[in-house]
Amino acid sequence: MSVFRTELRRTVAPWVLVAVLAVGLGFLLFSRGPWSHGSAAWNATWLTSVRWSRYLLVLVWPIIVGAAAIQGMRDARAGVGELFRSTPRPAGQRGTTLALAVGLAAVVGYLVLVAAGVGQVVADGGMFTAAWMMQLLLGVLSVVAGAALGLGLGRLLPYPITAPALTVLALVGGLVLQMSGETERGANPAVLLGIGQVEPRGPFDVSVPAVQFGQLCWLLGLSAAGFLLLLASSARVKALALLPVAAGLAVALPLFPAAPENNYTVDKTAAALACDGPVCVTRLHEDWLSTVAGPGKEALRLLEKLPQRPNRVEESTVSFRNNKVSPRDPARLLMQQDDYAMYGKSGPSLTTTLLSGAGTPPCHAASYGGEQNDREDAARWVMARWLIGSYAPPHSYAQPPLQTRTDPAWSALKAVPEAEQTARVAAARHLELTCTGDPLRVLTEGAR
């Protein structure tokens, strides 16, 4: 134990702890990044808190690898390798003590980083589910793998360039894989090998078991390779360090999905529904039910004007920032708490928002701008105002303003008989459900 305490004091271990906390907490607390928005924020749920901590490993992991590499080359740089080999204390024992000191410091730093977010979740009464546990294990194992690889490669290559080169390679490689995953331009199995995971999209998404098990095997292989390099006393044993890496890849790559949309499933506990009559929200957002119950019921009442209408209002578990169009059920009016249009809405203003597009999600999802999107936004506004029974121009930052489109569409729609108006709104709603055609043209000219 005294040897271990000495290693803690005289190695880079304390500085690893400081660096992990300074970088991780510095970004999460003082930088307005994607981890600070909506119900997927860093301090919103247990799951998102752990996942954002893993996300930032793309910046923290290179520090761990580089610092561990500096420590791994200590004996060779000090010229005491031959002296230590002549002592009765086994080399493996010395290496294990060193690895424990550096690895423990890195893991403690990471756990404090996670605890800082989870503590805020607990203080705010955030919902507890078990989905975060595997994410925490993978994050801790990533940190261990970084420390082991750094120590092993530092001992294998005790040159001044080793530590900075490893740090740069780890940083650049991690960022490339992470950005490739977020833009969906990289091969999905390769992206899933990255240490820093892809940006969490919503509070309900949890990795499928195949992804979790594959990443577990990959990280175990990296950790085993690092320890073999650190403890090996011969070139033959050092060469065997490639075997656990190859084994990890052999298990992980066939398990990883080919397409990124198959990486995640829904956290069933958080997504379970709590209902007030026909209006339902998820258990995660159960406190929102009192806000949306009245406006939701009113929206369903107004939608009775249409021949085919929803009979249920339900919170969607698909992230609002998901740009892929999901299948639309005509019997459900889906809403999303993180939808920008929902922020701060209650009462009649929330009813109007729910009636947008005659109770359908927008087809352009979270993308912005462009002629097609502006025409759809104008059509959705006119449909909502028709259901309410009175017209008011929309507030819009589009250029030209949406009012230049909604005014003519409203006038054209109201100029035809009531039955034709109903038919046009119903046809425009069908186009929004199928994401085909031009609903604004249908409202103005009728279906053809």
Side-chain angles (χ1 to χ4, degrees):
M1 183 59 71
S2 60
V3 175
F4 179 69
R5 287 197 298 268
T6 300
E7 291 284 24
L8 280 176
R9 291 196 309 269
R10 296 185 179 181
T11 63
V12 299
W15 295 108
V16 170
L17 172 62
V18 171
V20 168
L21 291 177
V23 173
L25 289 178
F27 272 95
L28 292 172
L29 292 176
F30 304 111
S31 173
R32 185 174 175 80
W35 45 81
S36 62
H37 300 295
S39 56
W42 168 56
N43 55 1
T45 72
W46 286 72
L47 176 60
T48 56
S49 184
V50 176
R51 290 182 67 189
W52 280 118
S53 300
R54 277 193 70 198
Y55 176 84
L56 275 185
L57 281 177
V58 73
L59 301 178
V60 172
W61 201 70
I63 297 174
I64 296 172
V65 173
I70 293 174
Q71 200 60 58
M73 64 179 73
R74 176 183 61 178
D75 292 355
R77 300 293 295 171
V80 295
E82 184 176 350
L83 173 64
F84 283 154
R85 283 193 294 271
S86 66
T87 61
R89 188 182 178 203
Q93 187 178 4
R94 293 198 311 273
T96 301
T97 305
L98 177 61
L100 282 174
V102 177
L104 180 62
V107 169
V108 168
Y110 179 72
L111 291 178
V112 172
L113 180 65
V114 173
V118 170
Q120 297 178 69
V121 176
V122 173
D124 292 338
M127 182 180 182
F128 175 89
T129 71
W132 61 274
M133 295 181 181
M134 189 62 177
Q135 296 298 311
L136 179 62
L137 174 61
L138 292 173
V140 169
L141 194 54
S142 298
V143 171
V144 171
L149 274 179
L151 289 168
L153 292 172
R155 181 168 183 255
L156 179 67
L157 305 168
Y159 309 118
I161 192 63
T162 298
L166 288 177
T167 302
V168 171
L169 285 174
L171 178 62
V172 173
L175 287 173
V176 167
L177 288 176
Q178 191 177 76
M179 289 186 292
S180 297
E182 292 176 6
T183 58
E184 299 185 2
R185 294 179 179 175
N188 188 58
V191 169
L192 292 175
L193 295 176
I195 297 299
Q197 70 165 32
V198 176
E199 175 183 338
R201 293 283 180 175
F204 304 101
D205 292 343
V206 61
S207 300
V208 297
V211 169
Q212 295 181 352
F213 184 71
Q215 290 180 334
L216 179 67
C217 294
W218 166 238
L219 293 171
L220 285 173
L222 289 181
S223 302
F227 282 120
L228 280 176
L229 289 175
L230 177 63
L231 304 180
S233 56
S234 66
R236 182 178 180 181
V237 177
K238 292 176 183 178
L240 292 177
L242 293 174
L243 291 180
V245 176
L249 286 174
V251 174
L253 290 179
L255 289 175
F256 289 156
E261 56 265 25
N262 298 324
N263 290 345
Y264 299 101
T265 187
V266 174
D267 181 357
K268 294 182 179 179
T269 303
L273 295 178
C275 300
D276 181 347
V279 181
C280 299
V281 299
T282 62
R283 290 288 180 187
L284 182 64
H285 299 144
E286 191 168 2
D287 56 348
W288 192 39
L289 182 58
S290 59
T291 301
V292 301
K297 293 174 183 177
E298 176 65 9
L300 291 178
R301 185 188 69 81
L302 294 173
L303 282 163
E304 291 177 359
K305 298 178 182 179
L306 299 178
Q308 292 184 336
R309 54 189 177 270
N311 53 30
R312 181 182 180 88
V313 178
E314 188 175 305
E315 181 184 0
S316 172
T317 57
V318 177
S319 168
F320 178 65
R321 291 183 292 171
N322 183 359
N323 289 318
K324 295 186 181 300
V325 175
S326 56
R328 285 113 188 280
D329 181 359
R332 293 187 300 163
L333 193 166
L334 295 178
M335 58 183 178
Q336 297 170 309
Q337 191 185 63
D338 289 331
D339 187 335
Y340 304 126
M342 292 283 187
Y343 286 175
K345 297 289 181 64
S346 62
S349 64
L350 181 54
T351 299
T352 302
T353 301
L354 292 173
L355 290 174
S356 178
T360 61
C363 289
H364 61 70
S367 59
Y368 298 100
E371 171 76 10
Q372 183 177 354
N373 288 4
D374 290 345
R375 289 183 64 84
E376 182 186 9
D377 288 341
R380 293 176 61 80
W381 178 264
V382 171
M383 294 158 73
R385 299 313 305 186
W386 182 84
L387 289 165
I388 292 171
S390 63
Y391 176 73
H395 299 289
S396 173
Y397 297 100
Q399 294 297 329
L402 286 184
Q403 187 175 354
T404 61
R405 301 182 188 277
T406 59
D407 285 355
W410 177 263
S411 299
L413 180 63
K414 297 298 290 183
V416 299
E418 186 73 23
E420 175 63 14
Q421 293 178 34
T422 302
R424 289 187 183 187
V425 174
R429 182 175 190 270
H430 176 73
L431 295 183
E432 285 294 276
L433 287 170
T434 58
C435 289
T436 58
D438 183 354
L440 187 63
R441 185 188 63 78
V442 169
L443 292 174
T444 305
E445 305 174 11
R448 296 179 181 177

